[in-house]
Amino acid sequence: MEIVEVGPRDGLQNEDALVPTPAKIAYVEALVAAGARRIEATSFVHPKRVPQMADAEAVMAGVPRGGGVSYIGLVVNERGLDRALASGVDEVNVVVVATETFSRRNQGMSVAEAVASFGAISARARAAGLRVTATIGASFGCPFEGEVAPSAVGALVRSCTDAGADEIALADTIGVGVPADVARLVEAARDVTALPLRFHFHNTRNTGYANALAAVSLGAAALDASAGGIGGCPFAPAATGNIATEDLAYALRRSGVASGLSLSGVVGAAAFIEGELGAPVPALLGRAGDFPGALSPERG
Amino acid sequence: MEIVEVGPRDGLQNEDALVPTPAKIAYVEALVAAGARRIEATSFVHPKRVPQMADAEAVMAGVPRGGGVSYIGLVVNERGLDRALASGVDEVNVVVVATETFSRRNQGMSVAEAVASFGAISARARAAGLRVTATIGASFGCPFEGEVAPSAVGALVRSCTDAGADEIALADTIGVGVPADVARLVEAARDVTALPLRFHFHNTRNTGYANALAAVSLGAAALDASAGGIGGCPFAPAATGNIATEDLAYALRRSGVASGLSLSGVVGAAAFIEGELGAPVPALLGRAGDFPGALSPERG
């Protein structure tokens, strides 16, 4: 199972304390050493909007290249794409939010405008040889509008597929979903796309890991997670905590699903960023320890 | 779906700070008001072994009776059963641990001795008209022996069924299990018993809610949970935190499964005990809030 490490981007962007660039690079280095091969390293957004990501170029200039690691940059507009291309990312991730209210508040445009923007970004990124992901934000519920119909998500999946995505990510931005929602959204997506499906879960209400395991059983190609379980969305109230990479890798390994990650390596990366942030991370494996008697260092 | 509220017993027994008896009773009253109808209220163990439970008789004397609420007392020997009977509990829960090492450390007897003890307790409790649960501790893994074979759990389920249990509870005492384990144990139990299956999960490694939802889908009759997610086992290293009643009830409600609980009522009970304990509880719903726009007060 492919785990996309989003700690350096989604994990850090919600933190008030600015993490120095060398520490971000060291966090990425630790993740690569732990086996991470797809890493959302930064976000090319306006520094005034997300100050934590103001050093996107410097981070990308410092991370270790080669070894089969693919770096993803989040972009929200063509200016961001220009920066991402100049920084040498391998992939871009573009968010299209599922509801009008959240789209306007998060990105200052309507859903239709966001889809059009995605198409423009996607065309240029693909022409440059980059893999392009369309993330459908708030697919499981909206902080402003509440319920989101799977059919509405399906329509966006179709639009983004038509507009040139290589991968579709369905995001539970505010952490409200349950496995039954995952099943409904997989069905809605499968009706309209053959692209690989990636899922992005927050553990805001303790349903994130159940959702992740449900997604695996339903054929998801990739899952986002952040080492330490740090992260959230600064524009969504109470959206705290990606699912933690180490806790997810533990659950997968005990389920007989390989992730290629060293659990102790990810725990170490989480401990490093915990020290930088100065507050306990939400992940539990580092505190509880591995399954009693499990070999160490083990690979999930 | 029946949720057995274990906060007053398993939740509190791992807390160092002694909670005054009136506060325990108020916690139970809040849980009853929130809709709890089956409550593990206390444990009739030696006060030197679990000082928090030294007031078992006083708690049982003070909790609200009637209204269809069934109170469970945990007992580990016949002396405990005598106290439970005198205190007027409606049910007893007896733990038989799945591995020799943990059984000897936890209860000072072999597994075979524990099964024999269960038979003696069960016969007397049933003669007195009480419902009897056999909880198979460490069914998902042992802190001392590691892996536990489902066949070994199955053998104990059969023994306890033969010895007169009305219900079998499979406990992940140290919080190591995953949904695939739940499926294996349901299969092993179903091979040897027709009794209702109850599950007891700890969220020690963030797999507890996934396990609970898996158990529901596999036909479990009841799930243990503690309001606030407090609790653990003082004799198992790092076994902290039952799954939280409110987070479980949220996940069930969003899955279309009724629990009969008021989510806001359980959140209130958790806030009360949080105040008594003086430390944040692990449950997340009270911090994150309900699904945006959900009716309040709602019943799951």
Side-chain angles (χ1 to χ4, degrees):
Chain A
M1 188 68 205
E2 183 175 73
I3 299 181
V4 180
E5 174 59 51
V6 299
R9 200 279 300 171
D10 201 24
L12 289 179
Q13 78 170 22
N14 198 32
E15 297 291 336
D16 289 332
L18 288 184
V19 176
T21 307
K24 292 176 181 173
I25 293 167
Y27 182 39
V28 171
E29 287 171 342
L31 292 164
V32 171
R37 289 297 173 266
R38 214 174 155 207
I39 301 175
E40 199 158 293
T42 189
S43 178
F44 296 92
V45 292
H46 198 290
K48 282 193 185 154
R49 192 151 165 79
V50 187
Q52 185 72 269
M53 297 290 123
D55 60 355
E57 282 83 357
V59 168
M60 278 307 302
V63 296
R65 304 306 294 254
V69 180
S70 184
Y71 289 101
I72 308 169
L74 188 90
V75 304
V76 296
N77 53 34
E78 291 194 66
R79 171 73 188 112
L81 177 63
D82 293 336
R83 294 174 58 202
L85 291 172
S87 299
V89 300
D90 303 293
E91 312 180 34
V92 292
N93 184 10
V94 186
V95 177
V96 176
V97 181
T99 65
E100 290 295 341
T101 312
F102 199 6
S103 181
R104 289 179 188 279
R105 292 211 192 196
N106 192 46
Q107 297 175 290
M109 50 182 136
S110 71
V111 174
E113 287 165 344
V115 170
S117 172
F118 170 76
I121 293 168
S122 175
R124 288 185 53 211
R126 284 163 66 107
L130 271 56
R131 186 178 183 184
V132 179
T133 299
T135 290
I136 314 298
S139 287
F140 292 74
C142 171
F144 310 108
E145 298 187 15
E147 302 287 350
V148 174
S151 58
V153 176
L156 273 176
V157 170
R158 182 197 296 266
S159 298
C160 292
T161 301
D162 294 346
D166 296 301
E167 175 186 65
I168 300 290
L170 299 176
D172 187 6
T173 311
I174 59 170
V176 291
V178 296
D181 297 320
V182 179
R184 278 187 284 268
L185 287 179
V186 167
E187 189 181 351
R190 280 286 157 253
D191 282 347
V192 297
T193 194
L195 292 176
L197 294 181
R198 170 177 158 191
F199 282 87
H200 179 94
F201 295 116
H202 285 255
N203 197 40
T204 314
R205 289 165 185 81
N206 258 328
T207 63
Y209 298 90
N211 294 341
L213 294 177
V216 172
S217 73
L218 293 163
L223 292 169
D224 288 2
S226 75
I230 61 173
C233 173
F235 310 113
T240 49
N242 291 101
I243 56 172
T245 309
E246 59 268 50
D247 294 359
L248 174 61
Y250 171 86
L252 290 174
R253 197 194 74 209
R254 293 292 302 171
S255 305
V257 178
S259 68
L261 295 169
S262 157
L263 270 63
S264 54
V266 179
V267 167
F272 171 79
I273 202 66
E274 180 173 76
E276 290 294 322
L277 296 173
V281 297
L284 296 180
L285 194 71
R287 276 181 266 164
D290 202 345
F291 189 93
L295 290 175
S296 179
E298 79 311 324
R299 232 156 241 278
Chain B
M1 188 67 206
E2 181 174 73
I3 298 181
V4 180
E5 174 59 50
V6 299
R9 200 279 302 172
D10 200 26
L12 290 179
Q13 78 169 24
N14 199 30
E15 297 291 336
D16 289 330
L18 288 185
V19 176
T21 307
K24 292 177 181 174
I25 293 168
Y27 182 39
V28 171
E29 287 172 342
L31 292 164
V32 170
R37 289 297 173 266
R38 212 173 158 209
I39 301 175
E40 200 158 294
T42 189
S43 177
F44 296 93
V45 293
H46 198 290
K48 282 193 185 155
R49 193 151 165 79
V50 186
Q52 185 72 269
M53 296 290 124
D55 60 355
E57 282 82 357
V59 168
M60 278 308 301
V63 296
R65 303 306 295 253
V69 180
S70 184
Y71 289 101
I72 308 168
L74 187 89
V75 303
V76 295
N77 52 35
E78 291 194 66
R79 171 74 189 113
L81 177 64
D82 292 336
R83 294 173 58 200
L85 291 172
S87 298
V89 300
D90 302 293
E91 311 180 36
V92 291
N93 184 10
V94 185
V95 177
V96 176
V97 181
T99 65
E100 291 294 340
T101 312
F102 199 5
S103 181
R104 289 179 188 278
R105 292 211 192 197
N106 193 47
Q107 297 174 288
M109 51 182 137
S110 71
V111 174
E113 287 166 345
V115 170
S117 171
F118 170 76
I121 295 168
S122 176
R124 288 184 52 209
R126 284 162 66 109
L130 272 58
R131 185 177 183 187
V132 178
T133 299
T135 291
I136 315 297
S139 288
F140 292 74
C142 170
F144 309 108
E145 298 188 14
E147 303 287 351
V148 174
S151 58
V153 176
L156 272 176
V157 170
R158 182 197 296 264
S159 299
C160 292
T161 301
D162 293 346
D166 296 303
E167 176 185 65
I168 300 290
L170 300 175
D172 188 5
T173 311
I174 59 170
V176 291
V178 295
D181 297 320
V182 179
R184 278 187 284 267
L185 287 179
V186 167
E187 189 182 350
R190 279 287 158 252
D191 282 347
V192 296
T193 193
L195 293 176
L197 294 181
R198 170 176 158 192
F199 282 87
H200 180 93
F201 295 116
H202 286 254
N203 197 40
T204 314
R205 289 165 185 81
N206 257 328
T207 63
Y209 299 91
N211 294 341
L213 294 177
V216 172
S217 74
L218 292 163
L223 291 169
D224 288 1
S226 76
I230 61 174
C233 172
F235 311 112
T240 49
N242 290 100
I243 56 173
T245 310
E246 58 269 50
D247 294 0
L248 175 61
Y250 171 87
L252 290 174
R253 196 193 74 210
R254 294 291 301 171
S255 306
V257 178
S259 69
L261 295 170
S262 156
L263 270 63
S264 55
V266 179
V267 167
F272 170 79
I273 202 67
E274 181 172 77
E276 290 293 323
L277 295 173
V281 297
L284 296 179
L285 195 72
R287 277 181 265 164
D290 203 347
F291 190 94
L295 293 175
S296 180
E298 79 310 322
R299 236 159 237 277

